[in-house]
Amino acid sequence: MATATFTTTMGTFKAELYTDRMPITCGNFIDLANSGFYDGIHFHRVIPNFMNQFGCPYAKKPDSPRAGTGGPDPNTSFQSCDGKTYTRTSDGGIPDETGQAHQKISNAPGTLSMANTGRPMSGGSQFFINVANNNFLDWYNSQTPSAHPVFGKITEGYDLVVAISTVKTRSDNPVEPIKMISVRVE
């Protein structure tokens, strides 16, 4: 089991990563976190009773109009949690982890889920933390075409995650920026 520690300007929370069930997504996340990729990035989208989105490198500037459109460097490699090496696509995407019974994890409150554009292999560095039951985002739910694989769950500080979702916003972007000081995985 791997534990991610998220240190923000509002406090710290921790999450268990599902390294055995989602080895590609977790390996990508661990690579980005431990390389410092997430350090200094702001939450760019927070919606009460829905989710908090994070991980776009353009959100280092909290009011960037490009926040929500970026990802990791293209064509870079990382090691999955089952020891395989993967190369990100030309736009920073990683292979989707959907379609297998062991990957059937719901977007329940407190879960970490890979953000994507809806196109295959479009998830990269952005993820969201659910603060409500968002099972309509499950890849196996036929209500919508959404396919957001869950790769972890908050184990400490869920109250802080909910508090982040309820800050004052302008167009879903926190008026008072919330910066991720660091994310590290042990």
Side-chain angles (χ1 to χ4, degrees):
M1 177 178 88
T3 300
T5 300
F6 301 80
T7 305
T8 77
T9 52
M10 284 184 64
T12 300
F13 58 93
K14 293 185 178 187
E16 169 192 356
L17 302 180
Y18 300 147
T19 55
D20 56 336
R21 296 171 76 181
M22 307 299 277
I24 299 170
T25 306
C26 288
N28 174 67
F29 177 81
I30 292 167
D31 174 68
L32 295 171
N34 288 345
S35 71
F37 179 88
Y38 292 122
D39 299 1
I41 294 178
H42 296 84
F43 282 90
H44 67 271
R45 187 173 177 222
V46 299
I47 304 173
N49 301 309
F50 183 35
M51 61 86 200
N52 302 331
Q53 191 166 341
F54 174 80
C56 176
Y58 298 126
K60 282 200 177 200
K61 182 178 176 189
D63 58 352
S64 171
R66 295 184 70 192
T69 65
D73 289 335
N75 304 311
T76 53
S77 296
F78 66 95
Q79 188 171 36
S80 68
C81 293
D82 58 5
K84 297 176 184 167
T85 299
Y86 290 88
T87 301
R88 296 177 181 98
T89 64
S90 61
D91 56 359
I94 64 169
D96 297 319
E97 287 187 289
T98 59
Q100 302 297 315
H102 71 277
Q103 298 164 334
K104 199 172 185 178
I105 310 165
S106 188
N107 279 276
T111 55
L112 280 64
S113 192
M114 179 57 73
N116 59 54
T117 66
R119 294 186 326 271
M121 296 182 64
S122 61
S125 60
Q126 294 187 51
F127 64 95
F128 55 92
I129 306 168
N130 292 292
V131 294
N133 180 4
N134 295 319
N135 64 356
F136 66 95
L137 298 174
D138 296 342
W139 60 265
Y140 52 89
N141 185 329
S142 60
Q143 290 181 55
T144 68
S146 294
H148 298 282
V150 172
F151 66 97
K153 183 170 178 74
I154 301 299
T155 56
E156 290 180 32
Y158 180 68
D159 55 337
L160 172 61
V161 172
V162 172
I164 290 170
S165 76
T166 62
V167 299
K168 186 175 179 181
T169 62
R170 184 181 310 108
S171 301
D172 297 332
N173 190 335
V175 171
E176 181 71 31
I178 304 166
K179 181 165 55 173
M180 187 67 67
I181 297 165
S182 68
V183 181
R184 294 296 180 271
V185 180
E186 296 176 355

